[in-house]
Amino acid sequence: MNLDEFLISDFEQIQVLRDEAHSVLAFIAIHDTRLGPAFGGIRRWTYRSPVEGLEDALRLARAMTLKCAVSGVPGGGGKAVIVDDPAMDREAAYRLLGKHVQQMGGRYYTGPDVGTEGSDLETVGEETQYVARASGGALAEVTALGVFAGIEEVARQLGHSKLDEVHVAIQGLGGVGMQIARLLAEAGAKLSITDVQWDLAEKAAKDLSASLVEPGEILSVEADVFAPCALGGVIHDLSLQTMRAKAIAGSANNVLASPEHGIELFRRGILYAPDFVINSGGLIHGALTHLDGSPPPETRIRHIGQMLKEIFELAKKAGRSPEQIAGDSALERLHEKPAIPFMP
Ligand code: NAD
């Protein structure tokens, strides 16, 4: 995918943040706020070019819009991306972001994402009140609980009533992936796990009695479920050739390199749990805590399993991919409202 493929006109606001003295370059993308304020965390990552960072911000912000709409959260999609650079002053970057978020006056509410730690959020919080107070760890735990509920439903769809009959291959053992691995191990699932941080993977394999797999081999494990919990874009033309799992259900955002890959998975009979549904636990928790002043009950997060069940059934009936069904349902909700941006 490249910038040409984005309907830039679909975005309400795209900001470029620069502070040359501190080698800071960051983007804030606000996709659609007709349902409410934009929610989306801050990703700090090393990109091959600034344009790749901008594309990531756009893609992630758009996914947040779908996530809010499909899960009934009165909010929209936003995302911040810091283009990491060895010369960058990290504190200055988060401070600049915080200042911009504050200037938006509540149109955008931010929080953690890959590369952003609790101490970074503290820095952002010194500049703005519009940042999730919950630590990244707390949100990751809620996200993991939702993904776990989703994997339980996926297992049922594959004909397994209990997880101890199920083999899950997990890619990425960070905040979310490690917690999913723990929940699955407790439920008796057979696990194959990997992470590019090899020491971390080795230790987890020992602690959880899981099989340790090289990062490049995880897709070819003959598992029931492949759980992508690292970065997006893992399902593409090449990886589809090596995929051995019967289903895909994990926490990563933008798992499919393109929507066509979702259709191809459906054609091949590989069950795909749309990422913006299965990984919505952290968003539901963070957004509703902000909007209602208290966190939603755990049942709201576990309901992700039921949402997926309905999507899978509709997909089967309609002969369309779960991704298409979930996307249509999100767009329907969105288009019920006139395209008027949220103003606090
Ligand atoms: P994290 O940075 O804590 O963990 C990512 C892990 O993946 C790291 O341990 C990293 O070493 C590993 N990794 C990176 N590339 C890899 C590869 N090619 N093979 C194997 N391992 C690899 O991030 P996280 O918070 O756990 O989030 C994981 C994914 O879930 C991300 O895509 C994120 O956008 C998505 N997500 C997270 C949340 C949340 O609440 N944290 C919510 C929704 C979606």
Side-chain angles (χ1 to χ4, degrees):
M1 191 171 291
N2 59 47
L3 274 182
D4 298 341
E5 290 174 52
F6 280 103
L7 279 177
I8 294 285
S9 57
D10 273 0
F11 284 78
E12 287 176 11
Q13 192 175 355
I14 300 168
Q15 277 195 340
V16 181
L17 281 51
R18 289 163 70 91
D19 169 1
E20 279 175 18
H22 296 98
S23 302
V24 175
L25 174 64
F27 302 104
I28 298 177
I30 306 295
H31 179 244
D32 192 309
T33 62
R34 70 184 87 179
L35 297 176
F39 291 95
I42 305 168
R43 176 166 292 189
R44 183 175 55 84
W45 193 250
T46 307
Y47 295 95
R48 279 173 300 188
S49 69
V51 167
E52 202 182 79
L54 175 58
E55 283 171 11
D56 209 19
L58 297 176
R59 200 178 290 124
L60 290 162
R62 190 169 52 183
M64 292 304 285
T65 300
L66 294 177
K67 221 182 274 195
C68 285
V70 82
S71 58
V73 168
K79 204 78 184 186
V81 158
I82 296 175
V83 179
D84 210 357
D85 183 297
M88 185 185 82
D89 179 332
R90 181 164 166 173
E91 190 189 326
Y94 281 98
R95 214 166 271 294
L96 183 67
L97 249 170
K99 284 195 175 106
H100 277 263
V101 172
Q102 183 61 21
Q103 276 168 14
M104 290 170 139
R107 233 171 85 66
Y108 172 46
Y109 188 78
T110 196
D113 193 67
V114 174
T116 295
E117 292 165 11
S119 55
D120 300 316
L121 291 176
E122 290 296 317
T123 307
V124 177
E126 285 168 20
E127 302 295 339
T128 182
Q129 78 235 54
Y130 305 112
V131 57
R133 289 288 170 194
S135 74
L139 285 184
E141 219 168 281
V142 184
T143 301
L145 182 66
V147 175
F148 178 73
I151 293 177
E152 281 183 315
E153 180 52 37
V154 164
R156 278 192 285 273
Q157 298 284 326
L158 296 178
H160 302 290
S161 56
K162 289 201 281 176
L163 283 173
D164 60 7
E165 303 165 355
V166 176
H167 179 184
V168 185
I170 305 179
Q171 178 188 49
L173 299 163
V176 187
M178 187 71 89
Q179 190 59 23
I180 294 171
R182 284 200 195 107
L183 292 170
L184 287 168
E186 273 166 31
K190 180 177 175 204
L191 295 182
S192 295
I193 60 174
T194 194
D195 197 291
V196 286
Q197 296 182 59
W198 193 244
D199 292 356
L200 180 92
E202 270 184 334
K203 183 172 179 321
K206 214 165 148 203
D207 293 350
L208 303 172
S209 304
S211 302
L212 186 61
V213 179
E214 292 279 344
E217 300 296 319
I218 194 76
L219 268 150
S220 39
V221 172
E222 280 203 37
D224 297 294
V225 182
F226 167 58
C229 300
L231 293 177
V234 283
I235 301 300
H236 45 75
D237 291 349
L238 264 181
S239 62
L240 264 176
Q241 307 307 322
T242 43
M243 259 278 301
R244 295 282 170 275
K246 299 179 186 126
I248 302 173
S251 74
N253 279 306
N254 300 324
V255 167
L256 306 175
S258 77
E260 287 69 39
H261 293 100
I263 298 169
E264 183 56 21
L265 287 172
F266 185 64
R267 205 185 60 73
R268 292 180 184 216
I270 298 172
L271 189 64
Y272 173 62
D275 45 14
F276 59 88
V277 180
I278 194 169
N279 74 15
S280 59
L283 163 79
I284 295 171
H285 181 92
L288 294 185
T289 303
H290 173 61
L291 295 169
D292 302 342
S294 59
E298 201 178 286
T299 46
R300 184 79 161 74
I301 309 300
R302 289 193 181 273
H303 183 67
I304 287 171
Q306 177 64 29
M307 277 164 58
L308 282 171
K309 180 171 190 261
E310 287 163 18
I311 289 166
F312 292 144
E313 283 169 1
L314 281 171
K316 236 182 264 170
K317 247 190 238 161
R320 302 180 72 221
S321 75
E323 171 94 350
Q324 288 172 311
I325 297 292
D328 284 356
S329 143
L331 290 179
E332 244 168 61
R333 264 187 214 154
L334 215 54
H335 292 150
E336 279 167 12
K337 295 260 179 179
I340 302 169
F342 172 82
M343 286 297 168

